[in-house]
Amino acid sequence: MPDFSPAADSYLDRLANALRDVREPVRGEIWSGIAEELDGLGETDARDRIAELGDPSFIAREARNAVDVGTMGDTSSSAYTAVVARPPLSESRGLAIFGAIALGVGGFVVPLFGWVVGVALVWTSSLWRTREKLIATVGPPVVLVLAALVSHAINGWAGMSGTENPLVPVISDIAISSVVGALLLNVIAMVWLLVRLGRRA
Amino acid sequence: MTPPADVSAQLRKGVAEYCILGLLSREPMYGWQLSETLVRAGLIASIGTLYPVLSRLRERGLVVSFEESTGAGPVRKYYRLTAAGEELLADFRDQWPTFSLTVGALIHGETPDDLPTDPPLEGTPDA
């Protein structure tokens, strides 16, 4: 039974993620070879060995460069195969779906905190592209702030002109609209993320 | 034609396989052992380069892998040469001195006429 220190465990997770684009059996062999080396090491020794191994993304890039076009042979198993087959948490569809739902409705359940948890989970998941994560998590607050600024500017302009216009919102209206808008935009972001995830599957 | 951006990378790529065969001709080795030796020698950049090369060598029947327990440590995957690997390594050892001599002469501007036609191989009585 493999025995990995927390540092080794975290490094192997990052390595598995970085190696996603490397074809089998090379991907599994790299992972197993490194896992062999970290197995049984204490936290300090594991950290030293990890420093020697280098960044997982560098290892993956080197592997991609070195892999030739063609069929690789021998897929012999090793003691670590079962561990290799287990995808890291960041690739879990369950985590991705839960993250999207927390982003969309978490704010209803626990105001603000629920939404923050959703943002964290969406960014943890590797099933969405960075652009999608940005749109879904940064987009709604940006739209809201812009809308609030525009409303506030109109309000200020109306105040300066000395005319009362019932159509121009006052501060309290803006605040209420912002909260409602935030909740609505987050739900839209949730639906958008889930639809994209579904299409990709 | 564009020259390669990194000449040493091209050179390393050409000889890394034979260096691995050379190391394995002494004794079976596991991935980290090979990687550590080759990285220190500047022949590969990281362990990520090693395994694709090992896969190719195994695909060509030049090396085989086997698992062995290392006492109280983990079970490791070792690699060793096959008969075909030993044969290829012997061929490379024969050709390398001539090849390196020829390239050495050419890159120093010597004409083909200046080159020795049949340079002695390393290890022969005339060498």
Side-chain angles (χ1 to χ4, degrees):
Chain A
M1 186 73 183
D3 172 24
F4 299 122
S5 70
D9 215 23
S10 158
Y11 182 82
L12 290 169
D13 268 354
R14 290 197 293 132
L15 181 68
N17 198 31
L19 290 172
R20 272 179 309 161
D21 298 338
V22 178
R23 76 174 64 155
E24 289 289 7
V26 173
R27 176 175 41 167
E29 287 187 334
I30 295 173
W31 197 95
S32 317
I34 291 175
E36 270 176 21
E37 213 41 51
L38 297 175
D39 189 3
L41 294 182
E43 184 72 3
T44 309
D45 289 340
R47 285 184 188 280
D48 290 346
R49 187 52 52 87
I50 286 167
E52 288 180 70
L53 285 162
D55 187 55
S57 60
F58 175 67
I59 293 174
R61 190 169 62 243
E62 286 295 312
R64 277 193 296 272
N65 290 342
V67 169
D68 254 352
V69 178
T71 316
M72 295 295 179
D74 195 345
T75 51
S76 60
S77 62
S78 87
Y80 299 91
T81 306
V83 185
V84 174
R86 188 188 67 194
L89 188 63
S90 60
E91 289 178 31
S92 153
R93 280 182 71 79
L95 177 94
I97 292 168
F98 183 70
I101 292 172
L103 182 77
V105 299
F108 290 103
V109 182
V110 186
L112 192 62
F113 181 74
W115 177 79
V116 171
V117 169
V119 170
L121 291 176
V122 165
W123 279 95
T124 302
S125 173
S126 60
L127 298 186
W128 287 299
R129 298 183 180 92
T130 306
R131 192 172 58 89
E132 292 169 334
K133 293 175 184 177
L134 272 173
I135 292 171
T137 59
V138 181
V142 167
V143 169
L144 272 178
V145 169
L146 286 177
L149 285 176
V150 169
S151 299
H152 188 64
I154 293 171
N155 202 21
W157 175 78
M160 279 194 302
S161 67
T163 54
E164 282 287 328
N165 185 345
L167 296 176
V168 174
V170 293
I171 294 294
S172 60
D173 292 336
I174 295 172
I176 292 167
S177 303
S178 295
V179 172
V180 174
L183 294 173
L184 191 64
L185 284 173
N186 286 331
V187 172
I188 293 170
M190 171 190 77
V191 173
W192 181 71
L193 280 177
L194 292 176
V195 167
R196 290 188 74 87
L197 187 67
R199 281 186 190 156
R200 207 163 291 150
Chain B
M1 189 180 151
T2 314
D6 181 356
V7 175
S8 66
Q10 299 294 321
L11 290 173
R12 288 196 301 263
K13 205 177 284 181
V15 296
E17 288 186 3
Y18 297 101
C19 293
I20 291 172
L21 294 181
L23 287 171
L24 294 179
S25 71
R26 292 185 311 173
E27 60 177 345
M29 294 172 82
Y30 55 88
W32 174 255
Q33 266 183 312
L34 281 166
S35 166
E36 207 178 18
T37 309
L38 293 168
V39 168
R40 200 178 298 145
L43 282 158
I44 60 171
S46 85
I47 198 166
T49 318
L50 174 71
Y51 283 97
V53 180
L54 284 174
S55 268
R56 281 199 294 273
L57 293 174
R58 201 171 45 197
E59 169 77 5
R60 291 160 60 194
L62 302 172
V63 303
V64 288
S65 60
F66 61 97
E67 287 180 2
E68 195 166 289
S69 174
T70 50
V75 174
R76 293 187 187 277
K77 184 183 269 189
Y78 282 81
Y79 297 84
R80 66 172 170 76
L81 276 191
T82 62
E86 281 171 14
E87 201 176 316
L88 183 70
L89 180 62
D91 280 351
F92 187 78
R93 282 173 175 161
D94 282 347
Q95 290 177 33
W96 178 252
T98 311
F99 179 79
S100 63
L101 206 63
T102 306
V103 173
L106 286 170
I107 63 175
H108 284 98
E110 293 174 25
T111 62
D113 293 339
D114 302 328
L115 298 175
T117 51
D118 188 17
L121 297 176
E122 245 180 31
T124 60
D126 295 337

